[in-house]
């Protein structure tokens, strides 16, 4: 898959698959042989990370530590034994019930784990043997946590969003160093700042015109992270990802209005759609942008 939509942005494209090795056909064969195994391992890692994300999603909005105390049943408070904490498998073996109190365990827990595993595997397959892979696996992890937290409490916690700036910048810098080009990193800084400012202006503008803001400052802070990642891949990915967020969010809001599940005064979390748009930009932003430019002649 292509990482970039423009010729000038080809340095990001160097970060995928066998092109990283630079040692000819033998490396191409080795990379293509190892990629399926690496994808499976990434999926397993994703399952484990998903189990941890369940802790993050539950505790962070409540201001609780994600380190201690150990995981416990939210109903009876019984500590969850290691054998009952194996992603997905334990939920099935326990027949979806707590071992101690026999109360039902929400299906959301294994779904988070499965989603994390699937997204980790797809991300690894997409980027291949590249230093970009850890950077985007980190994005996947925080995106999954932020999406569910925003849906639950309509908030994007600073404790997750703000560390993503230095962490994301460091991981993307490592990927740029591996590629031997710093153009993508400079573009990431510009793109992150640009999307941050754009969302800030939209927040201020909506407050001035409507008397109430249609988005929170959490969305503005998240925009900087999204812009940084998408612009690192290319300007086309940034444009497509930013537009897709409003397109997907708009369709969802219209659906809620048509089914009378919300009215014009209802608050609809936008963070999940920003992140969904980001994944559209990562996966298809380059080809979509190239197609759009070709239509313009």
């Amino acid at each position: 898959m292509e990482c970039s939509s423009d010729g000038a942005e080809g340095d990001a494209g160097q970060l995928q698959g066998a092109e990283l090795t630079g040692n000819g056909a033998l490396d191409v064969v080795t990379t293509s042989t190892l990629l399926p195994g690496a994808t499976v391992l990434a999926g397993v890692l994703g399952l484990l990370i998903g189990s941890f994300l369940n802790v993050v999603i539950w505790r962070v909005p409540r201001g609780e530590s994600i380190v201690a105390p150990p995981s416990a049943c939210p109903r009876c408070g019984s500590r969850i034994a290691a054998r009952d904490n194996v992603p997905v498998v334990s939920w099935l073996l326990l027949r979806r019930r707590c071992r101690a109190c026999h109360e039902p365990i929400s299906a959301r827990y294994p779904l988070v784990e499965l989603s994390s595993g699937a997204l980790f595997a797809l991300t690894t397959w997409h980027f291949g043997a590249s230093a970009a892979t850890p950077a985007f696996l980190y994005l996947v992890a925080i995106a999954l946590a932020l999406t569910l937290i925003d849906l639950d409490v309509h908030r994007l916690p600073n404790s997750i969003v703000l560390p993503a700036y230095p962490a994301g910048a460091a991981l993307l810098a490592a990927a740029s160093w591996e590629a031997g080009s710093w153009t993508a990193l400079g573009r990431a800084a510009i793109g992150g700042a640009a999307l941050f400012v754009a969302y800030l202006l939209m927040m201020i503008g909506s407050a001035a015109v409507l008397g109430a803001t249609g988005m929170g400052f959490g969305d503005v802070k998240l925009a900087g992270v999204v812009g940084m990642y998408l612009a690192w891949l290319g300007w086309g990915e940034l444009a497509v990802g930013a537009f897709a967020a409003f397109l997907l969010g708009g369709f969802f809001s219209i659906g809620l209005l048509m089914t009378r599940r919300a009215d014009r005064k209802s608050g609809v979390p936008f963070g999940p759609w920003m992140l969904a748009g980001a994944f559209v930009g990562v996966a298809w932003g380059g080809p979509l942008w190239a197609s759009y430019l070709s239509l313009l002649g």
Side-chain angles (χ1 to χ4, degrees):
M1 297 184 180
E2 294 185 5
C3 254
S4 175
S5 56
D6 299 317
E9 298 162 6
D11 54 298
Q14 297 171 15
L15 298 170
Q16 294 190 11
E19 291 179 354
L20 281 170
T21 62
N23 294 320
L26 179 60
D27 286 323
V28 173
V29 174
T30 302
T31 302
S32 62
T33 302
L34 294 177
L35 184 56
T39 301
V40 172
L41 289 176
V44 173
L45 174 63
L47 289 172
L48 298 173
I49 295 296
S51 181
F52 172 69
L53 291 179
N54 276 319
V55 176
V56 172
I57 293 164
W58 176 262
R59 294 187 182 185
V60 168
R62 293 166 175 78
E64 300 173 359
S65 169
I66 61 174
V67 178
S71 297
C73 174
R75 297 178 185 269
C76 69
S78 298
R79 183 175 297 183
I80 299 175
R83 61 175 176 169
D84 295 334
N85 213 17
V86 180
V88 182
V89 176
S90 292
W91 185 79
L92 293 173
L93 292 178
L94 289 170
R95 298 182 180 181
R96 307 185 300 277
R97 295 185 180 275
C98 171
R99 185 182 294 275
C101 66
H102 306 294
E103 288 294 318
I105 301 173
S106 172
R108 173 160 152 171
Y109 293 106
L111 287 176
V112 169
E113 293 161 355
L114 287 170
S115 298
S116 178
L119 289 171
F120 266 54
L122 289 171
T123 301
T124 301
W125 186 267
H126 181 77
F127 287 99
S130 164
T133 301
F136 283 87
L137 289 180
Y138 173 73
L139 178 63
V140 165
I142 64 169
L144 189 54
L146 288 171
T147 293
L148 292 174
I149 291 173
D150 202 12
L151 290 173
D152 286 345
V153 300
H154 292 201
R155 186 160 56 89
L156 297 167
N158 284 335
S159 58
I160 299 177
V161 176
L162 295 184
Y165 280 93
L171 290 167
L172 293 175
S176 293
W177 175 81
E178 182 194 41
S181 173
W182 299 100
T183 304
L185 192 63
R187 190 171 58 236
I190 297 172
L195 203 60
F196 181 97
V197 171
Y199 269 73
L200 179 62
L201 292 176
M202 284 187 286
M203 185 185 75
I204 296 173
S206 63
V209 174
L210 303 176
T213 178
M215 61 178 63
F217 194 54
D219 297 326
V220 177
K221 288 178 283 189
L222 179 59
V225 176
V226 170
M228 175 174 64
Y229 269 91
L230 290 176
W232 185 85
L233 292 173
W235 297 121
E237 285 83 350
L238 175 61
V240 170
F243 177 75
F246 290 97
L247 185 66
L248 294 172
F251 278 133
F252 180 75
S253 298
I254 291 172
L256 290 179
L257 291 172
M258 292 180 65
T259 57
R260 299 181 183 276
R261 298 178 61 183
D263 55 38
R264 294 184 178 182
K265 295 182 179 180
S266 299
V268 178
F270 193 58
W273 303 112
M274 295 172 65
L275 294 164
F279 285 115
V280 171
V282 170
W284 302 291
L288 287 173
W289 184 250
S291 299
Y292 172 72
L293 292 179
S294 67
L295 290 176
L296 297 180

